[in-house]
Protein backbone atom coordinates (compact mmCIF):
# COMPACT_ATOMS: atom_id res chain seq x y z
CA UNK A 1 0.00 0.00 0.00
CA UNK A 2 1.45 3.36 -0.98
CA UNK A 3 1.21 6.50 1.12
CA UNK A 4 -1.93 7.44 -0.79
CA UNK A 5 -4.85 5.19 0.11
CA UNK A 6 -8.14 4.76 -1.75
CA UNK A 7 -10.55 5.21 1.12
CA UNK A 8 -14.33 5.04 1.11
CA UNK A 9 -16.17 7.27 3.57
CA UNK A 10 -19.77 7.11 4.66
CA UNK A 11 -21.88 8.79 7.30
CA UNK A 12 -25.34 8.17 8.61
CA UNK A 13 -27.53 11.13 9.62
CA UNK A 14 -25.81 11.41 13.03
CA UNK A 15 -22.32 10.63 11.78
CA UNK A 16 -22.50 13.50 9.31
CA UNK A 17 -21.50 15.85 12.13
CA UNK A 18 -17.90 14.61 11.75
CA UNK A 19 -17.97 14.77 7.95
CA UNK A 20 -15.87 17.93 7.53
CA UNK A 21 -13.18 16.76 9.96
CA UNK A 22 -12.94 13.31 8.36
CA UNK A 23 -12.78 14.68 4.82
CA UNK A 24 -10.15 17.23 5.84
CA UNK A 25 -8.02 14.41 7.28
CA UNK A 26 -8.30 12.59 3.95
CA UNK A 27 -7.00 15.39 1.71
CA UNK A 28 -3.85 13.44 0.79
CA UNK A 29 -5.84 10.34 -0.18
CA UNK A 30 -8.16 9.21 -2.96
CA UNK A 31 -11.65 9.45 -1.48
CA UNK A 32 -14.72 7.49 -2.52
CA UNK A 33 -17.45 9.59 -0.91
CA UNK A 34 -20.55 7.49 -0.25
CA UNK A 35 -22.40 10.28 1.58
CA UNK A 36 -24.41 11.52 3.35
CA UNK A 37 -23.93 15.25 3.71
CA UNK A 38 -26.98 16.25 5.75
CA UNK A 39 -28.81 15.24 8.90
CA UNK A 40 -32.15 16.40 7.47
CA UNK A 41 -33.12 12.89 6.39
CA UNK A 42 -32.61 9.71 8.40
CA UNK A 43 -29.92 7.53 6.82
CA UNK A 44 -29.51 4.14 8.48
CA UNK A 45 -25.99 2.97 9.34
CA UNK A 46 -26.53 -0.60 8.01
CA UNK A 47 -27.07 0.85 4.53
CA UNK A 48 -23.82 2.81 4.75
CA UNK A 49 -21.99 -0.22 6.19
CA UNK A 50 -23.06 -2.29 3.19
CA UNK A 51 -21.90 0.46 0.82
CA UNK A 52 -18.41 0.73 2.33
CA UNK A 53 -18.11 -3.05 2.49
CA UNK A 54 -19.02 -3.35 -1.17
CA UNK A 55 -16.57 -0.59 -2.08
CA UNK A 56 -13.76 -2.56 -0.45
CA UNK A 57 -14.87 -5.91 -1.83
CA UNK A 58 -15.14 -4.64 -5.42
CA UNK A 59 -11.81 -2.80 -5.28
CA UNK A 60 -13.03 0.79 -5.39
CA UNK A 61 -11.42 1.31 -1.96
CA UNK A 62 -8.65 -0.29 0.07
CA UNK A 63 -10.02 0.89 3.41
CA UNK A 64 -12.99 2.82 4.73
CA UNK A 65 -14.11 5.20 7.44
CA UNK A 66 -17.69 4.76 8.60
CA UNK A 67 -19.31 7.18 11.05
CA UNK A 68 -22.55 6.92 13.01
CA UNK A 69 -23.57 8.44 16.35
CA UNK A 70 -21.68 6.05 18.61
CA UNK A 71 -19.65 4.01 16.11
CA UNK A 72 -21.08 0.82 17.60
CA UNK A 73 -23.86 0.18 15.10
CA UNK A 74 -21.54 0.97 12.21
CA UNK A 75 -18.99 -1.58 13.43
CA UNK A 76 -21.61 -4.26 14.09
CA UNK A 77 -23.18 -3.84 10.66
CA UNK A 78 -19.90 -3.58 8.72
CA UNK A 79 -18.59 -6.82 10.23
CA UNK A 80 -21.55 -8.64 8.67
CA UNK A 81 -20.06 -8.07 5.20
CA UNK A 82 -17.74 -10.94 4.26
CA UNK A 83 -14.10 -9.88 4.29
CA UNK A 84 -14.70 -6.74 6.29
CA UNK A 85 -12.81 -6.28 9.54
CA UNK A 86 -14.33 -3.22 11.15
CA UNK A 87 -13.81 -1.83 14.62
CA UNK A 88 -14.86 1.16 16.62
CA UNK A 89 -11.83 3.18 17.66
CA UNK A 90 -11.86 6.16 19.93
CA UNK A 91 -8.14 6.11 20.75
CA UNK A 92 -5.06 6.19 18.52
CA UNK A 93 -3.59 2.96 19.92
CA UNK A 94 -6.60 0.95 18.74
CA UNK A 95 -6.62 2.77 15.40
CA UNK A 96 -3.11 1.59 14.52
CA UNK A 97 -3.02 -1.69 16.43
CA UNK A 98 -6.24 -2.84 14.78
CA UNK A 99 -4.50 -2.56 11.40
CA UNK A 100 -1.09 -3.85 12.51
CA UNK A 101 -2.37 -6.99 14.27
CA UNK A 102 -5.88 -7.59 12.91
CA UNK A 103 -5.69 -6.15 9.39
CA UNK A 104 -8.67 -3.91 10.17
CA UNK A 105 -9.97 -2.37 6.95
CA UNK A 106 -12.86 -0.23 8.26
CA UNK A 107 -12.48 2.39 10.97
CA UNK A 108 -15.75 3.16 12.74
CA UNK A 109 -16.18 6.40 14.64
CA UNK A 110 -18.89 7.89 16.81
CA UNK A 111 -19.73 11.52 16.14
CA UNK A 112 -21.25 11.82 19.62
CA UNK A 113 -18.11 10.35 21.22
CA UNK A 114 -15.11 11.96 19.53
CA UNK A 115 -14.60 15.52 18.43
CA UNK A 116 -13.22 16.76 15.12
CA UNK A 117 -9.59 16.96 16.23
CA UNK A 118 -9.47 13.43 17.62
CA UNK A 119 -11.39 12.13 14.61
CA UNK A 120 -8.71 13.57 12.31
CA UNK A 121 -5.95 11.96 14.41
CA UNK A 122 -7.74 8.61 14.34
CA UNK A 123 -8.23 8.68 10.58
CA UNK A 124 -4.61 9.62 9.93
CA UNK A 125 -3.34 6.97 12.33
CA UNK A 126 -5.58 4.29 10.78
CA UNK A 127 -4.45 5.11 7.25
CA UNK A 128 -0.79 5.36 8.24
CA UNK A 129 -0.73 1.90 9.82
CA UNK A 130 0.26 -1.27 7.96
CA UNK A 131 -0.55 -4.91 8.70
CA UNK A 132 2.43 -6.52 10.47
CA UNK A 133 2.12 -9.80 8.56
CA UNK A 134 3.71 -11.77 11.37
CA UNK A 135 2.94 -15.48 11.56
CA UNK A 136 0.78 -15.28 14.68
CA UNK A 137 -1.35 -12.48 13.18
CA UNK A 138 -1.77 -14.32 9.90
CA UNK A 139 -2.79 -17.50 11.75
CA UNK A 140 -5.39 -15.58 13.74
CA UNK A 141 -6.82 -14.04 10.57
CA UNK A 142 -7.05 -17.49 9.01
CA UNK A 143 -9.15 -18.56 11.99
CA UNK A 144 -11.41 -15.54 11.57
CA UNK A 145 -11.80 -16.28 7.85
CA UNK A 146 -12.62 -19.93 8.63
CA UNK A 147 -15.28 -18.78 11.10
CA UNK A 148 -16.72 -16.48 8.46
CA UNK A 149 -16.89 -19.30 5.90
CA UNK A 150 -18.43 -21.71 8.40
CA UNK A 151 -21.08 -19.21 9.48
CA UNK A 152 -21.92 -18.44 5.85
CA UNK A 153 -22.57 -22.17 5.36
CA UNK A 154 -24.87 -22.33 8.38
CA UNK A 155 -22.35 -23.94 10.72
CA UNK A 156 -22.07 -22.67 14.24
CA UNK A 157 -19.75 -25.33 15.59
CA UNK A 158 -16.04 -24.71 16.16
CA UNK A 159 -13.97 -24.83 12.98
Amino acid sequence: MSDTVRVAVAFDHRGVHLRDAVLAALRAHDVVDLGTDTDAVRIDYPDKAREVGEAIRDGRAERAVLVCGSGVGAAVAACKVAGIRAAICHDVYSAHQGVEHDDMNVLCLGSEVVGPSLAADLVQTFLGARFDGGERYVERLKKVEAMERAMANGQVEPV
Side-chain angles (χ1 to χ4, degrees), residues 1 5 62-65 85-89 91-108 122-134 137-138 141:
M1 191 177 292
V5 179
E62 299 163 81
R63 294 195 190 165
V65 178
R85 295 170 302 280
I88 183 174
C89 295
D91 63 271
V92 292
Y93 176 78
S94 298
H96 71 78
Q97 188 271 341
V99 174
E100 294 164 354
H101 294 187
D102 305 306
D103 203 17
M104 177 175 70
N105 53 13
V106 178
L107 172 67
C108 298
L122 294 169
V123 168
Q124 291 169 353
T125 299
F126 166 66
L127 295 177
R130 300 293 176 260
F131 180 55
D132 179 275
Y137 305 124
V138 170
L141 283 176

Side-chain angles (χ1 to χ4, degrees), residues 53-94:
E54 289 173 351
I56 290 172
R57 288 179 51 94
D58 70 20
R60 286 180 289 145
E62 299 163 81
R63 294 195 190 165
V65 178
L66 179 58
V67 189
C68 69
S70 69
V72 174
V76 168
C79 283
K80 301 301 180 187
V81 178
I84 299 304
R85 295 170 302 280
I88 183 174
C89 295
H90 293 150
D91 63 271
V92 292
Y93 176 78
S94 298

